[in-house]
Amino acid sequence: MVGFLAGYPNNCFGDNEAIALKWNDVFDTARGSVTDNSPKVWQINAAGIRPWITFVLICALIGSLGLGWVLKSALLILGLIILLPVVAIGGFVIWSRLNIIQANCPVCDQELTGFKGTELDCPSCGEALQVAKGSVTRVAPPNTIDVAAIEINTP
């Protein structure tokens, strides 16, 4: 079996990054005769591997020159770029679960969402409300007693 490895400028991928492996079966030892003489071509697209090989070679060069601190700094910055958004999003999710309250209006039973410790107006009935202690309550002026009125029908 005769084989060779060569780079072909024009290949089926349309770029110059592929490596083609081509061989001809010249002699079959089991049969003792010449077999299929047509070329068989396999192409491996190495375009996706090239940046990683370049990165590894640059890291090896930097390490051999004694500039490991540059590599460590770059990896630290890359780690912060990846880790910081994850921590920020996680912190926001935890903060929102602790400080955003969903409850119903005590007057008209409309579903409301508000921040803990704030005042808001119900969009349905216009009542002034306060979000406190995980619930929504009416805001009443000082010295006001809030009662529930019951209608009584007399015969």
Side-chain angles (χ1 to χ4, degrees), residues 1-3 23-29 32-40:
M1 176 175 280
V2 177
W23 77 89
N24 291 330
D25 290 333
V26 177
F27 190 76
D28 187 0
T29 56
S33 64
V34 176
T35 60
D36 184 16
N37 210 10
S38 64
K40 296 176 182 147

Side-chain angles (χ1 to χ4, degrees), residues 16 27 77 114:
N16 293 331
F27 190 76
I77 291 171

Side-chain angles (χ1 to χ4, degrees), residues 70-124:
V70 174
L71 181 62
K72 289 177 186 175
S73 300
L75 291 177
L76 177 69
I77 291 171
L78 182 66
L80 287 175
I81 288 172
I82 293 170
L83 190 63
L84 194 61
V86 172
V87 171
I89 290 171
F92 177 75
V93 168
I94 292 171
W95 175 85
S96 66
R97 286 185 183 169
L98 294 175
N99 290 314
I100 296 178
I101 306 296
Q102 290 184 338
N104 292 337
C105 175
V107 177
C108 66
D109 207 34
Q110 171 74 28
E111 187 175 339
L112 301 170
T113 303
F115 291 109
K116 202 183 279 187
T118 60
E119 292 186 9
L120 58 104
D121 293 331
C122 177
S124 180

